[in-house]
């Protein structure tokens, strides 16, 4: 590994129009290392927090809505401000904005670890999301600005592979810390990574900017999209407990929908929009983002519930639940660099059609397991097939997005695509929560009625139904009745989980179809 030091690129600022000009291979390598560590912060946070959620829910006495908000407060600000983060990097310096985001994310992670109640934790997660919005688009933008187009696909493949391996290590280490120490360590694990990243950026990464350095930041657009998404997410998460006709619910839907419509209107009339709608005239760009919306809705929405199933229903320890994700991430690590070259060899359409098709089968396989089955015959096949499908898709998808626009808009394009994927997961977690809750309640009522359990026990279970599989059984009842009621809760969760996975499979199928219809171009041939 090369030593830290000044880069030949450090004497000036690289403009996007001349990527890699004056940059040594050493500088490019360290830029790639920084991009990998930066994206790893966000990836590790997502996988580790998922594994830690059952412990957070138990120790902070949180219901399922609270657990969703722990994830959604982060995802909301990340999705809403990613576009601003990309534009800020293009305009004021990608390295500078990248480092500011890293510092904010790291400090917010420490604040999450120090939270002693759900409210402060959710607020700290929101600040984490703001930091990630500045950090995430910079990862790919730094690569695009530093590497020439001929080497960019391989660099992105390497970025995808090593980001995947750090994401694989994250949940295992996080699960171990949750099992043996506390869920707070799931957030503290970000601190040393953030500190190392800041040191590398300060010492070795060259600054780069877009060609356009004028104009204003689209504050109104950022505010409108945040309000719009917040309104819809609030309604989707809170509706199962408050009811769809409750005043806060329908009011939030109206405000959220109106804000999003107004956002589109404002973006067509703003001189410097955070979402340049003209980019969507490029067919490959719009097709890749439609695929991203559908596929990442399936991925983000479904995988939110996998650790809950493994820990609360299947009885896995947090470490075991983290390790259960390893096949998925290991396959992506092994195949991503190869997959990054698929666009150069076969064009975009083939991998972006085949990959989601395989992923759809993986989601469908998740719907098969019931309770207390062997991991190797239940969840392992699904993890492997899903990992294969996503590994074929991710690097070609990213390369297609970045190649579809000019280099001067690399940060903006990265921000848009990341915002689409995060928005997809944000809305899917809320919507899938509704689906799972409806199926859970219906199955739980049927199972409890069939058992003929003591009325007091049934009432105690029903009173906690908002916790889903996190329901705590009361004391003072026969062990047989307790065990039967616990199994009823598990079966109810599995019923909802199956619906979530089947919907995810359908979304993945639609994403494959969208690529087949919209993605154009063969190797070396521009899209139209």
């Amino acid at each position: 590994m090369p030593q830290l030091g000044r880069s030949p690129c450090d004497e000036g600022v690289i403009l996007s129009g001349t990527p890699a000009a004056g940059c040594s291979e050493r500088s490019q390598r360290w830029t790639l290392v920084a991009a990998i560590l930066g994206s790893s912060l966000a990836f590790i946070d997502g996988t580790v927090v998922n594994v830690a959620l059952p412990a957070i829910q138990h120790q902070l006495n949180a219901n399922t809505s609270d657990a969703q908000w722990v994830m959604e407060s982060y995802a909301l600000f990340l999705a809403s401000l990613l576009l601003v983060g990309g534009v800020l990097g293009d305009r004021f310096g990608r390295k500078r904005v990248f480092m500011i985001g890293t510092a904010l994310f790291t400090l917010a992670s420490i604040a999450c670890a120090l939270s002693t109640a759900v409210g402060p934790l959710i607020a700290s997660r929101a600040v984490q999301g703001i930091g990630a919005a500045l950090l995430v688009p910079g990862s790919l933008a730094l690569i695009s600005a530093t590497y020439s187009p001929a080497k960019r696909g391989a660099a992105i493949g390497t970025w995808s592979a090593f980001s995947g391996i750090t994401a694989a290590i994250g949940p295992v280490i996080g699960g171990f810390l949750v099992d043996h120490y506390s869920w707070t360590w799931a957030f503290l694990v970000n601190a040393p990574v953030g500190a190392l990243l800041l040191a590398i950026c300060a010492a070795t990464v060259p600054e780069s900017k877009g060609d356009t350095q004028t104009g204003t930041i689209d504050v109104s657009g950022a505010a409108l999209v945040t309000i719009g998404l917040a309104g819809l997410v609030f309604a989707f998460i809170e509706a199962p407990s408050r009811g769809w006709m409750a005043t806060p619910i329908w009011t939030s839907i109206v405000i959220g929908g109106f804000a999003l419509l107004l956002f589109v209107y404002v973006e067509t009339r703003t001189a410097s929009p955070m979402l340049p709608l003209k980019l969507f005239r490029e067919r490959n760009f719009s097709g890749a983002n439609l695929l991203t919306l559908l596929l990442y809705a399936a991925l983000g929405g479904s995988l939110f519930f996998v650790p809950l199933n493994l820990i609360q229903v299947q009885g896995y320890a947090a470490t075991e639940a983290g390790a259960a994700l390893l096949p998925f991430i290991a396959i992506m690590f092994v195949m991503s660099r190869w997959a990054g070259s698929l666009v150069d060899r076969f064009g975009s359409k083939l991998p972006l059609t085949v990959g989601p098709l395989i992923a759809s089968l993986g989601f469908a396989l998740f719907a098969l397991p019931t309770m207390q089955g062997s991991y190797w015959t239940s969840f392992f096949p699904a993890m492997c097939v899903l990992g294969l499908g996503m590994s074929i898709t991710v690097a070609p998808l990213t390369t297609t997005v970045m190649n579809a626009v000019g280099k001067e808009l690399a940060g903006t394009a990265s921000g848009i695509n990341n915002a689409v994927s995060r928005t997809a997961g944000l809305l899917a977690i809320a919507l899938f929560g509704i689906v799972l809750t409806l199926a859970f309640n219906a199955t739980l009522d049927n199972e409890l009625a069939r058992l003929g359990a003591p009325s007091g026990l049934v009432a105690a279970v029903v009173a906690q139904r908002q916790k889903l599989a996190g329901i705590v059984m009361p004391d003072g009842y026969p062990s047989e009745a307790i065990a039967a009621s616990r199994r009823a809760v598990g079966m109810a969760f599995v019923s909802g989980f199956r619906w979530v996975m089947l919907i995810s499979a359908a979304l993945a199928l639609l994403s494959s179809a969208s690529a087949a219809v919209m993605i154009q171009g063969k190797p070396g041939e521009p899209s139209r």
Side-chain angles (χ1 to χ4, degrees):
M1 197 176 232
Q3 299 296 313
L4 295 177
R6 297 286 293 175
S7 161
C9 306
D10 290 338
E11 302 304 324
V13 175
I14 305 171
L15 293 179
S16 293
T18 56
C23 293
S24 66
E25 290 184 6
R26 175 175 173 273
S27 177
Q28 291 176 345
R29 286 195 298 267
W30 276 110
T31 299
L32 182 57
V33 169
I36 290 169
L37 286 177
S39 59
S40 296
L41 272 177
F43 292 160
I44 289 173
D45 181 82
T47 53
V48 170
V49 174
N50 270 356
V51 172
L53 268 180
I56 294 173
Q57 186 176 357
H58 176 72
Q59 293 183 24
L60 299 184
N61 193 29
N63 57 33
T64 301
S65 174
D66 295 329
Q68 286 179 283
W69 276 117
V70 169
M71 294 298 295
E72 297 286 62
S73 59
Y74 169 83
L76 172 62
F77 284 93
L78 174 54
S80 301
L81 301 179
L82 264 173
L83 300 174
V84 173
V87 173
L88 287 173
D90 283 343
R91 189 165 300 164
F92 297 111
R94 294 164 183 143
K95 171 183 172 180
R96 178 186 301 171
V97 173
F98 184 79
M99 291 182 67
I100 292 172
T102 300
L104 187 59
F105 185 94
T106 303
L107 292 173
S109 297
I110 297 172
C112 288
L114 298 177
S115 300
T116 56
V118 172
L121 175 59
I122 292 173
S124 298
R125 289 282 286 163
V127 178
Q128 250 192 328
I130 297 173
L134 302 178
L135 163 67
V136 170
S139 296
L140 282 173
L142 287 173
I143 292 176
S144 292
T146 308
Y147 282 83
S148 65
K151 296 182 178 180
R152 191 176 299 149
I156 290 174
T158 302
W159 164 85
S160 180
F162 280 94
S163 297
I165 200 64
T166 55
I169 296 172
V172 178
I173 295 177
F176 176 83
L177 294 173
V178 169
D179 282 338
H180 294 85
Y181 298 98
S182 170
W183 60 265
T184 59
W185 286 96
F187 295 102
L188 286 177
V189 73
N190 293 330
V193 179
L196 175 62
L197 177 56
L198 288 172
I200 291 174
C201 286
T204 66
V205 175
E207 183 61 281
S208 65
K209 295 181 179 180
D211 292 339
T212 302
Q213 306 297 321
T214 59
T216 59
I217 302 302
D218 187 10
V219 177
S220 60
L224 286 170
V225 75
T226 303
I227 293 171
L229 291 175
L232 296 182
V233 169
F234 176 85
F236 294 152
I237 290 179
E238 298 296 330
S241 60
R242 301 188 186 211
W244 286 100
M245 298 309 296
T247 300
I249 301 302
W250 64 260
T251 302
S252 295
I253 293 175
V254 171
I255 292 175
F258 179 75
L260 291 178
L261 290 175
L262 188 58
F263 166 73
V264 174
Y265 175 81
V266 168
E267 294 306 281
T268 62
R269 284 159 174 77
T270 300
S272 302
M274 60 181 279
L275 178 61
L277 296 177
K278 64 181 181 180
L279 292 180
F280 289 91
R281 297 172 188 167
E282 215 300 317
R283 185 158 179 168
N284 272 9
F285 185 78
S286 57
N289 279 286
L290 176 59
L291 185 154
T292 300
L293 179 68
L294 296 169
L295 185 59
Y296 279 83
L299 186 69
S302 60
L303 292 189
F304 171 80
F305 296 102
V306 169
L308 297 176
N309 188 350
L310 294 175
I311 295 172
Q312 295 179 333
V313 178
Q314 309 299 333
Y316 288 33
T319 307
E320 294 171 330
L325 300 173
L326 283 177
F328 170 77
I329 303 174
I331 291 173
M332 291 194 65
F333 169 72
V334 171
M335 297 187 64
S336 286
R337 185 172 178 84
W338 164 79
S341 65
L342 290 177
V343 173
D344 297 329
R345 296 170 58 191
F346 303 108
S348 301
K349 182 186 291 286
L350 182 62
L352 295 185
T353 302
V354 173
L357 195 62
I358 297 173
S360 176
L361 176 60
F363 287 121
L365 289 175
F366 271 110
L368 298 180
T370 178
M371 292 179 62
Q372 299 176 340
S374 168
Y375 168 77
W376 300 106
T377 58
S378 55
F379 293 98
F380 178 73
M383 292 285 185
C384 290
V385 175
L386 181 60
L388 175 62
M390 292 303 299
S391 64
I392 293 174
T393 305
V394 172
L397 175 62
T398 304
T399 303
T400 301
V401 169
M402 302 302 283
N403 287 345
V405 300
K407 291 180 288 292
E408 70 279 1
L409 291 173
T412 303
S414 175
I416 290 173
N417 190 244
N418 274 283
V420 169
S421 67
R422 300 291 178 163
T423 301
L426 171 74
L427 296 176
I429 289 174
L431 288 169
F432 286 7
I434 296 174
V435 172
L436 195 146
T437 298
L438 292 173
F440 176 88
N441 288 337
T443 304
L444 181 64
D445 290 340
N446 291 335
E447 290 290 323
L448 291 177
R450 183 181 60 81
L451 288 177
S455 59
L457 175 58
V458 171
V461 169
V462 171
Q464 300 179 72
R465 65 167 70 225
Q466 290 183 12
K467 294 183 178 181
L468 298 179
I471 290 175
V472 178
M473 295 297 160
D475 297 325
Y477 294 95
S479 58
E480 295 83 359
I482 293 291
S485 298
R486 184 174 288 113
R487 179 171 178 79
V489 170
M491 291 301 297
F493 188 91
V494 168
S495 175
F497 184 80
R498 284 173 171 164
W499 275 106
V500 165
M501 289 302 171
L502 291 175
I503 293 174
S504 297
L507 289 173
L509 275 177
L510 287 175
S511 71
S512 174
S514 71
V517 172
M518 297 190 66
I519 300 297
Q520 293 181 328
K522 296 179 180 179
E525 179 181 297
S527 60
R528 298 175 182 177

